Amino acid sequence: MSKKYNVERCTFCGKSRKLVDTLIAGPPGIYICNECIELCNTILVEEVRRKGQEKGSGKDKKLLSPKEVMAELDKFVVGQKMAKKVLSVAVHNHYKRILRGNVGDEVEIEKSNILLIGPTGAGKTLLAKTLAKILDVPFAIGDATTVTEAGYVGEDVENILLRLVQAADYDIERASNGIIFIDEIDKIGKTSKNVSITRDVSGEGVQQALLKILEGTMANIPPQGGRKHPEQSYIQLDTTNILFICGGAFTGLEEIVGQRIGKKLIGFHEDAKDLNEKEKGDLLQQVQVEDLVSFGLIPEFVGRLPIVASLNPLSEDDLVRIMVEPKNAIVRQYEKFFKMDDVALEFEDDALRAVAKKALDRGTGARGLRSILESFMLDIMFEIPSRSDIKTVTITEGMIQGKQPVVPPTKTKKNLESA
């Protein structure tokens, strides 16, 4: 008679001892292999992470008041008091609507997306990004100029949603409560009021494509993006609770507003271009729906952006404050870098004003401050790590203007004797 042997196998996956590295015995006849242990550990870690996110974004999450939101914005964004006030109230109401819900209520609160109007470098993107950071929700940025109507060469509207899903590490529940900022929204206005037989694939067509996701729909998102992988299974994302913040410079909108309210742009000012920045900002504070429609946005699209906030152009004083006051101010960052090399960095007030003037001349607003300082600081940051003789660096107006050397000469024996 042939003798039978009982082969020890993993009770969960059925693999024998020969096919795995380790087989651990439990109660009589019960075994588990190292591969199943690793799989269980992965499941447990994911479950803990998911429960932690649910706890942080669920009903028990503290809802910040508008004043608390604005206080946090003040730490990172200089000026723009009215815009910050509008945004603080808007995001508070938006997340109060999500957390407390409409279940059982006769009155259903609709979502209120936001439109930010302001010149380049005024802080539109920074405001949206800072809000997402304060609220601890996923955040994604899209550019309206890269999007085209479905069926044409370009980026799909769904690709913007894909970025949000990726920012949430593919956690669909977190992504569905996130914030999306769509920049350059003014560039998709209709180019003409005349009806054309050709399709406006980057203008009105894109506005039509954005309508559904702005209002709230179950969107099918290709996980790999684009239309090149028709076989891929789609990710479904409900956009009902996603807060959309759209931003644009809307150059020329102040002239439309001026004509509506009867402020003639003639006389002392022959053209809208002759208005100073403060006058343009004052006009943009009075923007209404018909002005945006006249600019080129379709009424249905404007209706999905009921909250409008205008940002004022930044003054020289604002730019100086931006360099030194916020938590992550550029000057503070440089000071920290230099401190790592035991070097003290100081900026004279006149030097900061010289940088601000350069940014104003370039018309780049706050966005240009970093590029100006990066270019200026390059040589000194190249020298500092290898120079033990430098303990303090003071940046002056003359250095910014190129009238004084930025890097002090090396203290060689010859230099000391001549001194």
Side-chain angles (χ1 to χ4, degrees):
M1 292 179 65
S2 61
K3 195 173 182 178
K4 293 185 178 179
Y5 294 92
N6 291 325
V7 179
E8 296 172 344
R9 296 179 179 277
C10 176
T11 307
F12 296 89
C13 66
K15 292 181 180 178
S16 67
R17 184 181 291 275
K18 291 182 180 181
L19 297 177
V20 297
D21 294 333
T22 307
L23 195 65
I24 300 174
I30 304 296
Y31 300 89
I32 183 170
C33 69
N34 62 291
E35 295 178 1
C36 287
I37 291 173
E38 290 173 2
L39 178 61
C40 290
N41 184 58
T42 301
I43 293 171
L44 287 172
V45 170
E46 179 62 23
E47 184 68 12
V48 169
R49 186 182 72 86
R50 186 183 64 80
K51 286 182 177 178
Q53 288 175 341
E54 286 179 355
K55 186 177 181 180
S57 60
K59 303 288 182 183
D60 58 346
K61 184 175 180 180
K62 182 180 182 296
L63 181 66
L64 296 177
S65 69
K67 284 188 177 180
E68 289 174 322
V69 174
M70 187 160 178
E72 288 298 315
L73 284 174
D74 286 337
K75 294 177 183 178
F76 298 93
V77 184
V78 170
Q80 311 298 358
K81 184 176 179 180
M82 181 54 69
K84 286 191 286 191
K85 192 173 184 179
V86 171
L87 282 170
S88 299
V89 172
V91 298
H92 171 79
N93 288 340
H94 175 75
Y95 285 99
K96 180 160 60 178
R97 163 184 168 271
I98 293 174
L99 295 175
R100 298 184 184 174
N102 291 311
V103 180
D105 293 340
E106 293 182 2
V107 179
E108 183 175 346
I109 303 174
E110 295 182 352
K111 179 172 63 168
S112 295
N113 298 309
I114 303 165
L115 175 64
L116 295 180
I117 298 173
T120 299
K124 298 185 293 292
T125 307
L126 179 61
L127 279 169
K129 190 181 295 185
T130 306
L131 278 174
K133 184 177 180 181
I134 293 169
L135 300 167
D136 190 26
V137 295
F139 176 73
I141 299 177
D143 192 325
T145 59
T146 65
V147 181
T148 57
E149 189 179 354
Y152 293 84
V153 176
E155 188 176 39
D156 286 340
V157 169
E158 287 76 13
N159 281 18
I160 298 175
L161 298 175
L162 175 60
R163 292 195 196 106
L164 185 67
V165 172
Q166 291 169 339
D169 293 326
Y170 288 88
D171 187 325
I172 302 303
E173 187 173 353
R174 283 198 77 220
S176 65
N177 292 329
I179 295 176
I180 290 179
F181 178 71
I182 305 178
D183 201 6
E184 305 282 5
I185 205 71
D186 53 320
K187 303 299 190 295
I188 61 170
K190 292 188 293 184
T191 55
S192 172
K193 292 184 180 180
N194 298 325
V195 179
S196 173
I197 58 172
T198 59
R199 300 298 297 272
D200 185 11
V201 298
S202 61
E204 183 178 353
V206 176
Q207 293 184 53
Q208 295 284 358
L210 286 169
L211 284 179
K212 277 292 182 185
I213 68 166
L214 287 176
E215 184 177 18
T217 188
M218 188 63 73
N220 292 317
I221 307 168
Q224 301 177 54
R227 314 176 187 97
K228 297 180 179 179
H229 307 277
E231 75 286 348
Q232 61 188 321
S233 58
Y234 288 92
I235 298 172
Q236 287 198 319
L237 177 65
D238 187 356
T239 67
T240 304
N241 293 331
I242 295 175
L243 179 63
F244 287 89
I245 302 176
C246 299
F250 287 89
T251 305
L253 181 60
E254 65 276 356
E255 185 175 358
I256 296 172
V257 177
Q259 291 173 349
R260 175 179 56 79
I261 64 177
K263 182 180 179 65
K264 295 184 181 296
L265 300 177
I266 54 176
F268 293 110
H269 301 295
E270 294 182 1
D271 192 273
K273 295 178 182 178
D274 296 331
L275 291 171
N276 62 43
E277 295 301 321
K278 186 179 183 304
E279 290 172 328
K280 289 180 181 179
D282 291 343
L283 283 174
L284 290 177
Q285 294 291 339
Q286 304 178 62
V287 169
Q288 293 186 5
V289 171
E290 58 260 41
D291 303 322
L292 295 169
V293 173
S294 296
F295 186 86
L297 298 183
I298 60 176
E300 300 91 336
F301 187 77
V302 178
R304 304 300 194 280
L305 300 165
I307 298 175
V308 180
S310 296
L311 281 71
N312 296 317
L314 296 171
S315 65
E316 184 180 305
D317 289 338
D318 290 332
L319 292 174
V320 171
R321 290 177 60 203
I322 286 169
M323 285 187 277
V324 296
E325 289 186 11
K327 272 190 171 183
N328 58 343
I330 182 73
V331 168
R332 288 188 179 187
Q333 293 180 40
Y334 280 122
E335 288 173 348
K336 189 170 182 178
F337 270 123
F338 277 62
K339 192 176 181 180
M340 292 175 184
D341 292 308
D342 296 321
V343 176
L345 174 66
E346 299 172 355
F347 275 84
E348 293 184 352
D349 290 342
D350 290 340
L352 293 173
R353 292 202 169 273
V355 174
K357 286 175 183 175
K358 281 192 173 187
L360 286 174
D361 291 341
R362 295 182 183 182
T364 52
R367 189 177 284 113
L369 294 173
R370 177 174 285 275
S371 61
I372 292 170
L373 283 171
E374 287 285 353
S375 177
F376 169 77
M377 298 293 289
L378 178 63
D379 289 337
I380 188 67
M381 293 190 77
F382 181 78
E383 289 284 337
I384 284 292
S386 56
R387 292 278 297 271
S388 59
D389 59 311
I390 300 178
K391 297 300 179 185
T392 303
V393 175
T394 302
I395 307 299
T396 66
E397 181 183 9
M399 291 178 180
I400 299 292
Q401 294 175 344
K403 297 176 181 177
Q404 296 175 4
V406 179
V407 183
T410 307
K411 292 183 178 180
T412 62
K413 186 177 180 181
K414 186 176 181 181
N415 287 340
L416 291 172
E417 289 174 354
S418 62

